[in-house]
Amino acid sequence: MAITLNGNTIHLAGNFITKGKKAPNFHLVQTDLSEFCLNDKINDYLILNIFPSLDTNTCASSVRKFNKIASEVPGYKVLCISKDLPFAHNRFCVSEGIENVITLSDFRYDSDFGIKYGLLITDGPLKGLLARAVIIIHPKGEILYTQLVPEISHEPNYEEIISFIKSTKL
């Protein structure tokens, strides 16, 4: 599978997760260095906002936007996931006043999140980071919605996401 970075093709490991499948379990790290395990946390609808790094304007903007969305959609929790260290996630959230999302780090060497979800970048200047995508998971673990952003320097289609959320019966 491939996406682009500033018009140049970059490849992803595996295949991007598809709607209708069971969400693969994952173990990521929270800002307090505790483990976040998907199978332990599916009680609400989950919106996964996945991106390369908080140190880019596009990624930072998406976290700000999803922080706002999270405050407006009861019954949903937003997980913001990148390879940034948990300390960077914490620093960003504190400095930006981000309080409505859960930030998670995929920095561990033994993590297979990017491969399971088909989002690990395998070549180019962002090799080893995660592609930009949004995934919505039902409380029973089913993938309800997916959006792989084809040009990694662009933000997700927020209008499409909000429309999907509004059309989903809780």
Side-chain angles (χ1 to χ4, degrees):
M1 175 150 268
I3 57 173
T4 59
L5 171 62
N6 299 320
N8 298 309
T9 301
I10 55 176
H11 297 92
L12 306 177
N15 294 310
F16 183 53
I17 193 81
T18 56
K19 192 169 91 169
K21 302 268 182 172
K22 177 156 177 55
N25 190 32
F26 57 76
H27 301 269
L28 299 173
V29 181
Q30 299 184 84
T31 58
D32 64 1
L33 301 180
S34 65
E35 185 174 82
F36 181 102
C37 177
L38 177 66
N39 285 349
D40 296 340
K41 302 294 182 179
I42 301 182
N43 299 324
D44 297 291
Y45 284 84
L46 299 177
I47 302 171
L48 280 57
N49 172 36
I50 305 150
F51 52 91
S53 175
L54 288 167
D55 287 327
T56 69
N57 290 334
T58 305
C59 298
S61 178
S62 77
V63 173
R64 289 183 202 104
K65 181 68 175 176
F66 276 105
N67 186 60
K68 184 176 184 305
I69 291 170
S71 71
E72 299 169 350
V73 290
Y76 284 83
K77 286 187 181 167
V78 177
L79 311 180
C80 292
I81 302 168
S82 75
K83 291 271 188 177
D84 292 298
L85 291 174
F87 314 113
H89 278 274
N90 187 57
R91 185 174 52 250
F92 177 81
C93 290
V94 169
S95 70
E96 295 284 333
I98 304 293
E99 299 177 339
N100 301 313
V101 301
I102 299 167
T103 59
L104 300 170
S105 176
D106 183 37
F107 82 97
R108 295 187 332 195
Y109 76 94
D110 62 345
S111 176
D112 57 0
F113 172 81
I115 293 170
K116 284 180 178 178
Y117 283 77
L119 293 169
L120 183 65
I121 299 171
T122 60
D123 59 8
L126 299 181
K127 180 179 180 178
L129 296 180
L130 300 172
R132 185 178 317 287
V134 177
I135 299 168
I136 299 178
I137 302 173
H138 187 279
K140 292 182 181 173
E142 177 188 355
I143 304 284
L144 296 177
Y145 173 90
T146 62
Q147 182 185 136
L148 176 61
V149 180
E151 168 56 53
I152 204 163
S153 65
H154 295 168
E155 290 189 51
N157 182 336
Y158 300 112
E159 293 79 24
E160 182 180 290
I161 296 161
I162 292 168
S163 176
F164 178 83
I165 291 168
K166 287 180 179 179
S167 71
T168 303
K169 300 204 183 335
L170 298 180

